[in-house]
């Protein structure tokens, strides 16, 4: 019995992992499968094989417009969030100033509070003080919900960084900006990359904030998919979703290639120090 | 190769006084060891000279400039950190080039200087390697090259060899000496290893609890420690409480219930002293030579050292450690006599801990 327990535990663990994988992958497989179906409604398993729904997506201006909008928003959000988030992470980990702790909590609060609150708040703000929803309103909303991820990932790297490297640079004649540029930022790069990855993906498939800020010119891809599902169940929705999955997977692979490996070696170096 | 002088330099961290009104001068081209137990303020003194800590009081001069209020990046200092503090995202050559780049040197000159520095620490072959892919000994050389490549007015080394194994360490000690001879930089290095301090520096500054205990050439400080602490820390000497009094035209001391001859204390006064005996000055004998001091003792342990042996004996309630040649037989538990020439013993005023 005693000898059997680890095997049993292993078996249970393996089963749990298997269930989790199936549970996570099943919806993806359903969507991807349905996108290749010949039938004109969403079915699984797919009937036959065709690429006509992809053709239809490419021929539908509303999809293209929404996709282009989502992409522009995600890129803008990523750039802005990475800049603000990195600066905030540096301030929060490197400087001691009054109100540091409340600020830290504030920066991380969107991670804890439901995004819907920010959606409502943004809508009220932009209706009251601007001309209602706009691309910039959406960008602003996404910056708020993605900021904590960048602050987190960059802070984690900065906290783990050998502070003596900055002192060493200082003794070697590097002024404050040179120290950030040559020593701190390059070492924070894995965290910045990971944060950018989160920011892009969260913005690209956000539907909660976007639904509050939607207007005739601010219909993002997730919102369009959502309304399409509501009103018609044509597999072109599945085709669009599959394309979104493709973009995300592409990014994961890129991050793995360029940052994942670097993160691993960084950790090894830190462990030896 | 600038002179460095600190005057009444003080640094307090809250209630901890890490450095207490220290006054010291480092001559140009000198090679000074800051020696002392862990926590005595060695790193603090080094960091104050580099400008990484702000003094609570006192002044620091490098060359003819008062740098007390000057930012570290404006001081003419090279420093090697105990953790090496290499830039993990740069190659060996990029690390070493960094101080030159910050000084705005021309590219061609940087390349030349880096190659020269890497040759001096024998790392030419690894110039393009990432510093993460180096062994501890190689990383240590990169850190050293990076500290001296810009030929700073003063080179500061914080426990440069403490992370190396014994063999590599001895090798590097020799290299440090040769490097200093070649570059002639004013060098201050921190160590808690007295042997290292004595073997590579031309001046030893012994520190204790934020103050300077004694300063001098290695031979002088070894031969004439001024305090029991210095005697103990530098020579691993034996200290015996001794009550000294006049006897005839000389002096004697009561040590562990016996009376032994001693030389006159420096100030010629009777009283309580610490009798300092070096390990190599005590011998085990059944017939002490005339004029020698001798005490009955019991052998406790004997550690074979190859060339000789280290023997621990009890004398009354005290233990003494001594070095003997390999022929001396001293079985554990044997009743023997330990003896020494009174000329080799020193009387120092006892110290509070
Ligand atoms: N940044 C600091 N904050 C508080 N105390 C410190 C700090 N740096 C050093 N100390 C204290 O100052 C004393 C001297 O430290 P240090 O100079 O590092 O000693 P050493 O290098 O001789 O081992 C120690 O008691 C240490 O705990
Ligand atoms: Mg130290």
């Amino acid at each position: 019995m005693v000898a059997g327990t680890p095997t049993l535990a292993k078996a249970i663990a393996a089963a749990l992992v298997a269930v989790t994988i199936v549970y996570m992958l099943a919806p993806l497989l359903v969507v991807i499968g349905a996108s290749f179906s010949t039938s004109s409604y969403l079915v699984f398993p797919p009937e036959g094989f065709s690429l006509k729904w992809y053709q239809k997506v490419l021929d539908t201006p509303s999809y293209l417009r929404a996709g282009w909008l989502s992409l522009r928003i995600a890129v803008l959000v990523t750039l802005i969030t990475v800049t603000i988030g990195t600066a905030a992470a540096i301030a929060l980990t490197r400087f001691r100033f009054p109100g540091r702790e409340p600020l830290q909590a504030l920066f991380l609060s969107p991670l804890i509070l439901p995004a819907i609150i920010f959606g409502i708040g943004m809508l009220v703000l932009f209706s009251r003080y601007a001309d209602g929803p706009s691309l910039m309103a959406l960008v602003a909303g996404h910056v708020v919900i993605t900021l904590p991820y960048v602050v987190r990932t960059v802070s984690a790297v900065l906290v783990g960084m050998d502070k003596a490297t900055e002192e060493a640079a200082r003794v070697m004649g590097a002024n404050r900006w040179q120290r950030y540029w040559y020593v701190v930022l390059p070492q924070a790069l894995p965290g910045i990359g990971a944060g950018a990855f989160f920011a892009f993906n969260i913005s690209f498939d956000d539907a909660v904030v976007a639904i509050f800020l939607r207007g005739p010119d601010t219909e993002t891809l997730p919102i369009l998919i959502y309304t399409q599902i509501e009103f018609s169940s044509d597999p072109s929705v599945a085709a669009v979703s599959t394309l979104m999955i493709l973009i995300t997977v592409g990014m994961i692979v890129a991050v793995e290639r360029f940052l994942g490996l670097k993160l691993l070696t960084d950790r090894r170096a830190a462990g030896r120090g | 190769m600038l002179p460095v002088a600190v005057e009444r330099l003080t640094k307090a961290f809250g209630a901890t006084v890490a450095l207490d009104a220290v006054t010291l001068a480092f001559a140009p081209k000198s090679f000074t060891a800051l020696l002392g137990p862990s926590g005595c303020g060695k790193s603090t003194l080094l960091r104050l000279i580099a400008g990484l800590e702000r003094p609570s009081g006192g002044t620091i001069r490098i060359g003819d400039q008062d740098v007390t209020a000057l930012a570290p990046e404006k001081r003419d200092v090279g420093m090697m950190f105990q953790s090496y503090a290499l830039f993990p995202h740069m190659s060996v050559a990029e690390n070493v080039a960094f101080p030159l780049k910050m000084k705005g040197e021309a590219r061609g000159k940087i390349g030349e200087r880096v190659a020269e520095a890497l040759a001096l620490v024998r790392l030419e072959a690894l110039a393009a390697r990432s510093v993460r892919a180096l062994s501890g000994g190689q990383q240590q050389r990169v850190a050293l090259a990076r500290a001296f490549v810009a030929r700073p007015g003063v080179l500061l080394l914080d426990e440069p060899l403490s992370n190396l194994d014994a063999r590599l360490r001895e090798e590097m000690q020799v290299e440090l000496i040769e490097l200093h001879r070649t570059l002639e930089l004013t060098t201050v290095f921190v160590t808690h290893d007295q042997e290292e301090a004595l073997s590579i520096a031309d001046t030893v500054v012994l520190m204790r609890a934020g103050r300077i205990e004694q300063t001098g050439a290695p031979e002088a400080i070894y031969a004439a420690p001024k305090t029991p602490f210095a005697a103990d820390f530098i020579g691993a000497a034996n200290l015996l409480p001794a009550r000294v009094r006049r006897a005839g035209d000389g002096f004697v001391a009561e040590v562990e219930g016996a009376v032994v001859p001693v030389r006159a204390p420096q100030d010629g006064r009777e009283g309580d002293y610490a009798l300092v005996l070096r390990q190599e000055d005590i011998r085990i004998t059944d017939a002490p030579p005339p004029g020698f001091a001798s005490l009955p003792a019991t052998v406790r342990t004997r550690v074979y050292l190859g060339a000789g042996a280290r023997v621990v004996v009890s004398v009354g309630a005290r233990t003494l450690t001594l070095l003997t040649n390999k022929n001396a037989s001293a079985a554990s538990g044997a009743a023997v006599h330990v003896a020494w020439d009174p000329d080799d013993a020193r009387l120092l005023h006892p110290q509070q801990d």
Side-chain angles (χ1 to χ4, degrees), chain A residues 162 164-176 178-179 182-184 186-187 262 265-266 269 272-273, chain B residues 47 50 52 71-73 77-79 81 83 85-90 98-99 101-103 131-132 134 139 146:
Chain A
D162 182 5
T165 56
E166 283 166 79
E167 292 188 331
R170 196 157 188 215
V171 174
M172 288 184 263
N175 64 34
R176 178 178 292 261
Q178 288 171 320
R179 295 201 293 278
Y182 292 114
V183 177
V184 179
Q187 289 189 78
K262 204 166 176 190
T265 49
D266 268 351
R272 192 175 50 202
Chain B
R47 291 172 59 82
L52 294 171
E73 56 264 37
V77 164
M79 181 162 177
F81 291 72
S83 67
L86 296 177
F87 303 131
H89 55 291
M90 295 185 193
F98 194 81
K101 193 167 151 187
M102 292 303 108
K103 287 201 164 60
V131 292
R132 282 189 295 232
L134 300 181
Q139 291 187 339
R146 194 179 64 173

Side-chain angles (χ1 to χ4, degrees), chain B:
Chain B
M1 54 200 97
L2 298 173
V4 177
V6 303
E7 218 183 302
R8 299 200 55 79
L9 193 61
T10 301
K11 176 69 191 177
F13 295 103
T16 315
V17 179
L19 210 62
D20 192 0
V22 162
T23 299
L24 250 183
F26 305 92
K29 304 184 190 179
S30 63
F31 195 175
T32 307
L34 294 180
L35 175 66
S38 173
C40 72
K42 308 180 295 289
S43 295
T44 302
L45 176 52
L46 222 56
R47 291 172 59 82
L48 282 162
I49 296 173
L52 294 171
E53 304 285 354
R54 202 181 289 230
S56 315
T59 56
I60 305 163
R61 304 181 69 82
I62 297 179
D64 48 16
Q65 193 186 8
D66 184 333
V67 298
T68 313
L70 200 65
E73 56 264 37
K74 303 207 173 93
R75 299 187 187 188
D76 188 12
V77 164
M79 181 162 177
M80 178 175 162
F81 291 72
Q82 194 175 352
S83 67
Y84 305 154
L86 296 177
F87 303 131
H89 55 291
M90 295 185 193
S91 69
V92 169
E94 285 166 340
N95 263 278
V96 177
F98 194 81
L100 302 169
K101 193 167 151 187
M102 292 303 108
K103 287 201 164 60
E105 301 280 11
R107 255 165 186 267
K109 190 170 177 200
I110 292 180
E112 246 169 62
R113 281 299 213 34
V114 169
E116 191 189 347
L118 288 179
L120 276 172
V121 295
R122 292 186 284 130
L123 279 181
E124 310 97 304
L126 300 180
R129 188 83 71 87
S130 158
V131 292
R132 282 189 295 232
L134 300 181
S135 71
Q138 291 166 335
Q139 291 187 339
Q140 188 258 350
R141 282 152 198 265
V142 177
L144 183 60
R146 194 179 64 173
F148 72 67
V149 68
R151 304 292 160 96
V154 51
L155 179 61
L156 307 173
L157 311 170
D158 195 353
E159 309 229 7
L161 310 181
S162 67
N163 291 340
L164 303 181
D165 59 52
R167 213 193 138 128
L168 207 49
R169 194 147 141 183
E170 274 170 33
E171 230 178 87
M172 279 311 296
Q173 289 176 358
V174 174
E175 281 188 32
L176 269 185
I177 295 171
E178 286 172 357
L179 199 67
H180 178 253
R181 201 175 297 147
T182 312
L183 299 173
E184 301 195 309
L185 298 174
T186 307
T187 306
V188 182
F189 87 98
V190 162
T191 177
H192 59 255
D193 178 346
Q194 55 90 16
E195 225 174 275
E196 186 168 288
L198 295 181
S199 55
I200 64 182
D202 53 40
T203 310
V204 174
V205 174
L206 178 63
M207 294 179 64
R208 178 190 185 216
R211 291 166 187 260
I212 291 173
E213 187 82 359
Q214 191 172 349
T215 306
E219 305 78 26
I221 211 168
Y222 185 86
K226 285 192 184 131
T227 63
F229 174 83
D232 183 35
F233 200 85
I234 297 215
N238 296 287
L239 303 173
L240 291 172
R243 174 153 295 166
V244 175
R245 58 180 155 80
R246 284 179 193 280
D249 33 345
F251 285 82
V252 293
E254 272 174 50
V255 178
E256 293 302 310
V259 175
V260 295
V262 291
R263 296 286 171 255
Q266 246 178 350
D267 52 12
R269 268 194 278 175
E270 299 185 325
D272 286 330
Y273 285 86
L275 181 72
V276 180
L277 290 169
R278 297 201 175 284
Q279 298 187 2
E280 63 271 29
D281 293 333
I282 311 174
R283 61 179 81 171
I284 291 178
T285 174
D286 294 325
F292 269 44
S294 110
L295 292 170
T298 310
V299 177
R300 281 176 38 187
T301 50
R302 180 173 186 276
V303 180
Y304 177 65
L305 296 175
R310 175 172 286 131
V311 182
V312 180
V313 301
S314 306
V315 175
R318 303 274 158 180
T319 56
L320 294 183
T321 306
L322 52 114
L323 294 169
T324 65
N325 62 38
K326 59 175 176 267
N327 301 321
S329 60
S332 180
V336 294
H337 275 81
V338 288
W340 63 90
D341 184 339
D343 284 340
D344 292 332
R346 298 179 59 82
L347 288 172
L348 299 174
H349 288 289
Q351 236 173 345
Q352 309 294 336
D353 279 323

